[in-house]
Amino acid sequence: MTKRILGIIIALFLVLQAAAFAAETPAKPHVVILATGGTIAGAGVTSTTTVGYTAAVTPVDKLIANVPELAKVATISGEQVSQIASESMTMEIWLKLAKRVNQLLARDDVNGVVITHGTDTLEETAYFLNLVVKSDKPVVLVGSMRPGTAMSADGPLNLYRSVILAGAREAAGKGVFVMMNDTIHGARDVTKTITDRVDTFRSPEVGALGVFTGDRPVFYRQALRKHTVDSEFDVTGLATLPRVDIVYHYAGNQGTMIDAAVAAGAKGIVHAGTGNGSIAKAEYPAVENALKQGIIVVRSSRVGSGIIARNGEADDDKYGFVAADSLNPQKARILLMLALTKTNDAKEIQRMFWTY
Ligand code: SIN
């Protein structure tokens, strides 16, 4: 009898201890990995193949299985959205991705989303999502510079940290992130700066938002330009985006590519000018023809960082140009495409460029 009572007391004690432990241990976050391709899903012939490998071959299930440590930090599920090298990214995939991210983050049982992506256009997808995701929950874009088959592949650690970041409470409300090489970048500021090295992603104007130390994300800054839940742009119901082309300026340019963009049906042109967004005299006839047809012309710079001063190198008020602020040409194109889903008014579009 005494033994039986003792047994019951011990069992009760163990149950209470387990309950106390469960109450103290926070549930693991649920992070969904959406895979789109890129080098992070790439494979080379040998362990030293770091150029000439094939991007976008490893499926999402295998990407997840290759990093068993992910299961320690989150409950993971994966979906294959596309399987492409990111130079082949399309506006249709962007819309599909954005709509899926919004669906997932609206669910109570999803804490964050990680998107695996080729590094070549990763900054563009990140900025697009920064403007159209309707949630405070973390969204993290991640890639790698070396394929998974390479010696010292950077993908597994980048992915592991992205999952931690996507499940971290302190990452909420800070916009879309790019997580590469121990560093947390904001989608608006980050750009790829080196063709072939793991430290290629930089935020040249204003710096990264934070870093990882071990398994812990540490933030030092916050993005102040509007994003996600504060953005006026919405992809619901959009099947495509208005055509916007980028025209790169160079010595001797006569405006031929502006004419080509107009002929191709562009609704907007981002002019990647020299210096502070200069437009050459020889280009003006082509530019004025574009403006006459209602095409919005945004002045940006091929320099890659710095602010385009309104009414500085061109009379923006006279011509009706829009100054790109500090967005590089590829990001100015994204904002212009979204702006054109709302308005064709250059002044209103300029307001958007000062806002996002
Ligand atoms: C790509 O962008 O898909 C290829 C290059 C890379 O992922 O680093």
Side-chain angles (χ1 to χ4, degrees), residues 57-118:
V57 287
T58 310
V60 66
D61 294 350
K62 193 142 191 295
L63 274 185
I64 294 169
N66 286 347
V67 191
E69 295 83 355
L70 296 179
K72 288 190 193 148
V73 291
T75 301
I76 302 287
S77 33
E79 294 175 20
Q80 194 79 47
V81 174
S82 63
Q83 188 62 294
I84 55 163
S86 78
E87 66 271 19
S88 299
M89 183 50 70
T90 65
M91 309 310 90
E92 286 67 35
I93 297 174
W94 275 354
L95 290 169
K96 179 178 163 191
L97 189 60
K99 288 172 189 174
R100 187 63 187 137
V101 170
N102 281 335
Q103 269 175 356
L104 287 167
L105 294 182
R107 278 170 35 184
D108 290 340
D109 67 329
V110 175
N111 298 88
V113 168
V114 168
I115 298 161
T116 59
H117 200 291

Side-chain angles (χ1 to χ4, degrees), residues 65-266:
N66 286 347
V67 191
E69 295 83 355
L70 296 179
K72 288 190 193 148
V73 291
T75 301
I76 302 287
S77 33
E79 294 175 20
Q80 194 79 47
V81 174
S82 63
Q83 188 62 294
I84 55 163
S86 78
E87 66 271 19
S88 299
M89 183 50 70
T90 65
M91 309 310 90
E92 286 67 35
I93 297 174
W94 275 354
L95 290 169
K96 179 178 163 191
L97 189 60
K99 288 172 189 174
R100 187 63 187 137
V101 170
N102 281 335
Q103 269 175 356
L104 287 167
L105 294 182
R107 278 170 35 184
D108 290 340
D109 67 329
V110 175
N111 298 88
V113 168
V114 168
I115 298 161
T116 59
H117 200 291
T119 60
D120 288 353
T121 59
L122 189 144
E123 70 194 69
E124 295 177 49
T125 304
Y127 186 53
F128 177 68
L129 294 174
N130 200 48
L131 296 174
V132 299
V133 165
K134 298 286 172 214
S135 174
D136 260 350
K137 295 178 188 174
V139 175
V140 185
L141 276 93
V142 63
S144 76
M145 290 301 288
R146 298 179 184 140
T149 45
M151 212 188 277
S152 293
D154 50 333
L157 186 59
N158 285 347
L159 182 61
Y160 175 69
R161 286 177 163 171
S162 298
V163 166
I164 293 176
L165 188 60
R169 275 199 205 107
E170 63 267 44
K174 293 187 168 70
V176 172
F177 302 110
V178 170
M179 171 64 228
M180 293 282 295
N181 197 39
D182 306 339
T183 312
I184 305 164
H185 295 274
R188 186 187 187 279
D189 309 316
V190 70
T191 191
K192 184 174 181 177
T193 63
I194 310 173
T195 56
D196 60 354
R197 291 215 311 260
V198 295
D199 59 342
T200 180
F201 281 90
R202 305 265 168 89
S203 298
E205 268 305 91
V206 290
L209 302 180
V211 291
F212 256 79
T213 172
D215 278 0
R216 197 164 66 87
V218 185
F219 286 94
Y220 292 95
R221 292 179 224 291
Q222 198 152 324
L224 290 180
R225 288 303 176 97
K226 281 192 179 180
H227 56 72
T228 57
V229 290
D230 294 322
S231 164
E232 64 204 270
F233 304 113
D234 193 349
V235 292
T236 316
L238 286 185
T240 187
L241 292 167
R243 180 178 180 127
V244 173
D245 287 308
I246 299 173
V247 171
Y248 196 91
H249 184 58
Y250 47 86
N253 177 7
Q254 306 267 311
T256 324
M257 301 315 286
I258 294 170
D259 290 337
V262 173

